[in-house]
């Protein structure tokens, strides 16, 4: 039933952006088998730091010994082919993986990759006799890649540990005996016995009379929740102080926590504009730099009288090392992934880094009332039925009709009236969008909804609905006004704080609702929203949003993920409340607030702003340093050592800046 205020969220058909870069995405799902530097760093961090850095350690020791033989402890035998072979052996542990990556990239048609740049720069250094520098460039590049892989791995692992709270094993009852089995092998319908302090492994239905559960794994909030017999309990919830029994209703791989985990792990698939720009830029930028390096090497031959090929080749090689776009291509996605991780820790799920970007520039937040600024838990306050009607019969009919709806108002009526009378058979049941429900009983029409429903069917009534502050459900039977029910909903405790925070961020708020205008205005006044509109049909809400869009301003719509498709389609970003209770929400929302707290709206905007700030700091740092050292390199004033800093050093600084967001408090 569509009463006054229940908002909808529907699928927004957002096109998935394609990756335009010549590099593989550095932040992957668990099984893609590739990492940025070609060394499998992401996947081997757990094998120990020594094993991880072993190739670099071997190269470093051989390089240092070689430099010592060259400059401090000169040896007659350390010359000619012996010296070349020594540095070649030092080069191979760090060079082979990069050479392999360059070769594989070329086979895929991606010639101008950063691996290719490193290979021609270091091999070129060997060609002109600069063996130590050739080894040093590849060594420091590899160390940089290792640290990058570790940073990505750490970011992914921290998020996975945060979210994947499911136990690997559970106890199921077989012939009233608890048997330990693998959670992934448990069948739907099995009965799990959960002791005090244990985590639930699968979603299910509570069979015990009641239970206290901690939902921190799902919402970020450790406040215990009370569950009653028949309620849904979810994987990751921690049982309180008694043994409970749960009937499994969802397979292990389909649990709510599995979907949340998959959502966060795959969030980088939808890339932010800054990422897409850098990737497109790198695809064009890298070949240009290669051709410029060739020009730096050969063009001076036409103009410089004392031209020395090896000198200008060295300058060109330095230029190539500096030009590697590694710092940008790695640190920017890592910055967005850090933002997604920070949001996840606070119970906010972003479906992609593009939404982090979008929400950072939001100018208007449009909220629904029920379930967003109010609890969405209705209770019947008054029952007013005219004397000429049988009160019990009318309530019985209303209860049967409302049984066709999952609206919170319907739930309130069920809770007030009691068990649905299965002997009552209603015919021609019809839902009238934005108005209510209509049916036929004993050849008489039954109307239950708002007063607009009665107006639509020309049914007169002798009260003024605007004088009633509560949500009102009008009832008509046999073409006559039979009376009404009043239903109240509580304002969320952090609703007023939410409005203050959003105003402090410079965001304008609007409340749109199908509920009565005076009810909507009452709630709006309580929380501090000036622009509030009630008595709206779905098409009216579309018109209100279009009015905001006509000002060329961005809009975030916040609803409970159940039924406002037109408004969601128009919004820049769709934010859904109630991710903990609705599978449809996780599937369709751009951003999901798991614990239903409206204050998380402001937090999400703040996380978006901080993430974008860090990303642009990294872009600026990389461009400024690289441009400066490129000029020095082209002029022969920079050596390979400055080139290494411009590439690997800047990349490491950018990465350290990117991971900083994961430690911020919002």
């Amino acid at each position: 039933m569509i009463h006054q205020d229940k908002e909808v969220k529907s699928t927004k058909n957002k096109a998935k952006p394609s990756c335009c870069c010549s590099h593989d995405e550095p932040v992957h799902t668990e099984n893609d088998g590739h990492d940025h530097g070609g060394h499998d760093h992401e996947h081997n961090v757990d094998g120990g730091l020594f094993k991880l850095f072993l190739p670099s350690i071997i190269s470093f020791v051989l390089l240092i010994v070689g430099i010592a033989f060259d400059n401090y402890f000169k040896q007659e035998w350390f010359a000619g082919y012996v010296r070349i072979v020594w540095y070649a052996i030092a080069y191979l542990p760090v060079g082979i993986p990069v050479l392999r990556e360059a070769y594989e990239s070329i086979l895929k048609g991606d010639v101008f990759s950063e691996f290719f740049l490193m290979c021609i720069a270091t091999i070129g250094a060997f060609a002109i006799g600069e063996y130590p520098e050739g080894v040093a460039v590849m060594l420091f590049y590899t160390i940089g890649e290792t640290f990058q892989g570790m940073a990505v791995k750490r970011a992914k692992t921290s998020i996975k540990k945060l979210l994947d709270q499911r136990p690997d094993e559970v106890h199921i009852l077989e012939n009233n005996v608890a048997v330990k089995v693998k959670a992934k092998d448990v069948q739907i319908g099995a009965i799990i016995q959960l002791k005090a302090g244990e985590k639930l492994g699968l979603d299910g239905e509570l069979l015990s009379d009641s239970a206290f559960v901690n939902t921190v794994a799902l919402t970020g909030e450790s406040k215990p929740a009370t569950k009653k017999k028949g309620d849904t309990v979810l994987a990751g919830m921690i049982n309180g102080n008694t043994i409970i029994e749960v009937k499994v209703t969802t397979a292990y791989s389909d649990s709510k926590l599995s979907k949340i985990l998959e959502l966060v792990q795959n969030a980088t698939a939808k890339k932010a504009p800054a990422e897409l720009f850098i990737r497109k830029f790198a695809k064009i930028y890298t070949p240009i730099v290669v051709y410029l390096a060739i020009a730096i090497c050969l063009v001076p031959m036409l103009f410089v009288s004392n031209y020395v090929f090896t000198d200008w080749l060295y300058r060109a090689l330095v230029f190539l090392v500096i030009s590697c776009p590694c710092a940008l291509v790695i640190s920017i996605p890592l910055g967005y992934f850090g933002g997604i991780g920070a949001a996840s820790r606070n119970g906010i799920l972003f479906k992609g880094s593009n939404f982090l970007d979008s929400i950072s520039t939001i100018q208007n937040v449009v909220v629904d009332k029920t379930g967003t600024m109010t609890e969405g838990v209705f209770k019947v306050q008054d029952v007013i039925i005219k004397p000429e009607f049988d009160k019990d019969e009318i309530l019985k009919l209303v209860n049967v009709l409302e049984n066709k709806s999952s609206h919170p108002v319907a739930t309130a009526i069920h809770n007030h009236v009691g068990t649905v009378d299965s002997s009552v058979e209603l015919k021609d049941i019809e839902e009238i969008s934005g108005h209510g429900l209509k049916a036929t009983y004993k050849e008489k029409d039954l109307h239950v909804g708002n007063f607009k429903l009665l107006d639509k069917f020309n049914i007169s009534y002798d009260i003024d609905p605007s004088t009633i502050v509560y949500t009102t459900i009008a009832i008509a039977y046999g073409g006559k006004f039979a009376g009404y029910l009043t239903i109240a909903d509580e304002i969320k405790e952090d609703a007023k704080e939410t409005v203050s925070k959003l105003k402090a961020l410079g965001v304008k708020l609007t409340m749109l609702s199908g509920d009565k205008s005076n009810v909507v205005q009452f709630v709006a006044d309580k929380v501090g929203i000036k622009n509030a509109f009630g008595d709206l049909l779905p098409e009216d809400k579309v018109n209100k949003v279009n009015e905001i869009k006509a000002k060329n301003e961005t809009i975030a719509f916040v609803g409970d993920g159940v039924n406002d498709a037109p408004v969601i389609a128009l919004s820049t970003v769709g934010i859904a409340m109630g991710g903990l209770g609705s599978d449809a929400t996780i599937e369709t929302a751009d951003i999901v607030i798991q614990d239903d707290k409206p204050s998380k709206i402001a937090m999400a905007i703040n996380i978006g702003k901080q993430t974008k700030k860090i990303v642009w700091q990294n872009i600026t740092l990389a461009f400024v340093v690289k441009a400066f050292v490129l000029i020095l390199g082209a002029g022969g004033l920079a050596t390979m050592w400055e080139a290494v800093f411009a590439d690997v050093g800047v990349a490491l600084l950018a990465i350290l800046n990117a991971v900083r967001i994961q430690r911020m408090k919002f």
Side-chain angles (χ1 to χ4, degrees), residues 46 120 170 209 288 332 345 399 418 536 605 630:
D46 297 333
I120 59 174
V170 296
D209 291 334
I288 289 175
I332 291 171
R345 265 199 307 281
N399 197 26
L536 299 178
I605 293 173
L630 276 172

Side-chain angles (χ1 to χ4, degrees), residues 178-225:
V179 180
K180 184 184 287 187
V181 297
K182 294 284 187 183
K184 63 182 180 182
D185 297 331
V186 175
Q187 301 296 312
I188 293 174
I191 308 299
I192 293 177
Q193 185 185 78
L194 199 65
K195 296 177 183 177
E198 289 184 340
K199 290 177 183 173
L200 183 60
L202 299 97
D203 294 354
E205 176 187 334
L206 182 64
L207 298 180
S208 304
D209 291 334
S210 65
F212 289 96
V213 294
N214 185 321
T215 61
V216 66
L218 290 154
T219 66
E221 298 292 329
S222 59
K223 185 179 179 181

Side-chain angles (χ1 to χ4, degrees), residues 338-339 342-343 345-346 501 602-604 606-611 660-666:
R345 265 199 307 281
N346 288 284
K501 286 182 176 179
M603 184 182 289
N606 194 22
I607 290 172
K609 286 180 179 294
Q610 292 299 324
T611 302
R660 186 166 57 91
I661 193 169
Q662 296 180 55
R663 295 179 174 84
M664 288 183 179
K665 291 186 178 181
F666 298 96

Side-chain angles (χ1 to χ4, degrees), residues 9 218-219 256 259-260 263-264 343-344 346-352 355 359 558-561 573-597 600-601 604:
K9 179 123 175 63
L218 290 154
T219 66
K256 181 65 59 64
K259 291 180 179 179
I260 293 170
L263 167 64
V264 178
S344 299
N346 288 284
I348 305 167
L349 302 184
F350 280 84
K351 277 204 166 179
F355 301 123
I359 201 168
V558 189
D560 54 15
V573 176
I575 304 175
M577 293 288 194
L580 189 56
S582 168
D583 280 336
T585 304
I586 286 182
E587 296 296 330
T588 61
D590 301 327
I591 301 168
V592 179
I593 295 176
Q594 291 175 260
D595 57 10
D596 290 352
K597 288 190 172 183
K600 295 291 177 72
I601 302 167

Side-chain angles (χ1 to χ4, degrees), residues 363-366 502-503 506-510 531 551 553:
Q363 297 163 288
N364 294 272
V365 169
V366 179
L502 289 172
K503 286 180 178 178
V507 176
K508 291 173 277 188
L509 280 99
T510 303
N531 298 322
K551 303 174 186 176
E553 295 182 355

